[in-house]
Amino acid sequence: MYRIGQLARQFGLSRSTLLYYDRIGLLSPSGRSEANYRRYSPADRDRLEAICSLRRAGVDIRGIGAILASAGDGATEVLHRRLLEINREIGALQMKQRMLAGMLRLKGEGGPRTAVDKEMFVAMLRAAGMDDAAMKRLHTEFEQHSPEAHHEFLLSLGIPEQEALRIRAWSLGTTTEPGTPPAAGR
């Protein structure tokens, strides 16, 4: 059997954390000593280990309670929901990372060569409310005002040379879609 202080130290927790877990019914001691001190069994220790693992995975206290109380399906649902949350967090962090790298590149401070790629650029335009027609107008204006800058910009997005040429031809109206080959002589 473990005393509260022993268990808390073993998992790097405070005594008050274990008292809180007891108060909310997440981890109650299996018994009490003659002096009325909390006593935790090896099974309680294993339960605390599971709680700590779930906390490290970012599962909230309510979710941990649901997982420990369920017989499988509830646990799967909570874990699946947390995985989706983490995926969204990773996506948001990756976008921030690309934006910061792009800002550094613009300031001449280094950073990846392709801080903003084609997919991110299109996603940002869509998020700003641009539809296909508006994107074509953007490319058309860019191509008409500064063809070489337009070409360099497309290459900076990580777009291969041939695809950049197809987009430029599309923006001038010499092809019907950005993925079609450029017109002869182009």
Side-chain angles (χ1 to χ4, degrees), residues 126-167:
R126 294 238 185 259
M130 293 183 83
D131 60 7
D132 290 339
M135 284 190 221
K136 182 168 183 173
R137 283 192 304 275
L138 176 113
H139 281 288
T140 300
E141 289 295 317
F142 205 164
E143 183 66 27
Q144 288 175 347
H145 288 4
S146 185
E148 290 307 312
H150 186 215
H151 188 76
E152 288 301 315
F153 173 73
L154 294 171
L155 295 177
S156 78
L157 294 175
I159 296 173
E161 178 79 24
Q162 288 303 310
E163 186 177 352
L165 292 172
R166 286 191 296 270
I167 292 170

Side-chain angles (χ1 to χ4, degrees), residues 61-166:
I61 294 294
R62 198 173 311 160
I64 292 171
I67 289 171
L68 296 175
S70 71
D73 288 343
T76 302
E77 182 181 326
V78 170
L79 293 172
H80 184 65
R81 186 174 60 241
R82 180 60 187 145
L83 182 61
L84 292 175
E85 289 170 3
I86 288 172
N87 286 339
R88 282 191 295 272
E89 291 169 14
I90 288 171
L93 286 172
Q94 286 174 332
M95 180 171 274
K96 289 175 186 176
Q97 179 186 41
R98 285 188 217 123
M99 290 176 72
L100 288 171
M103 290 175 191
L104 284 171
R105 198 176 93 241
L106 289 174
K107 292 204 172 276
E109 300 294 324
R113 188 172 188 286
T114 57
V116 177
D117 61 10
K118 176 184 171 184
E119 288 76 23
M120 181 180 172
F121 183 68
V122 170
M124 288 188 309
L125 294 177
R126 294 238 185 259
M130 293 183 83
D131 60 7
D132 290 339
M135 284 190 221
K136 182 168 183 173
R137 283 192 304 275
L138 176 113
H139 281 288
T140 300
E141 289 295 317
F142 205 164
E143 183 66 27
Q144 288 175 347
H145 288 4
S146 185
E148 290 307 312
H150 186 215
H151 188 76
E152 288 301 315
F153 173 73
L154 294 171
L155 295 177
S156 78
L157 294 175
I159 296 173
E161 178 79 24
Q162 288 303 310
E163 186 177 352
L165 292 172
R166 286 191 296 270

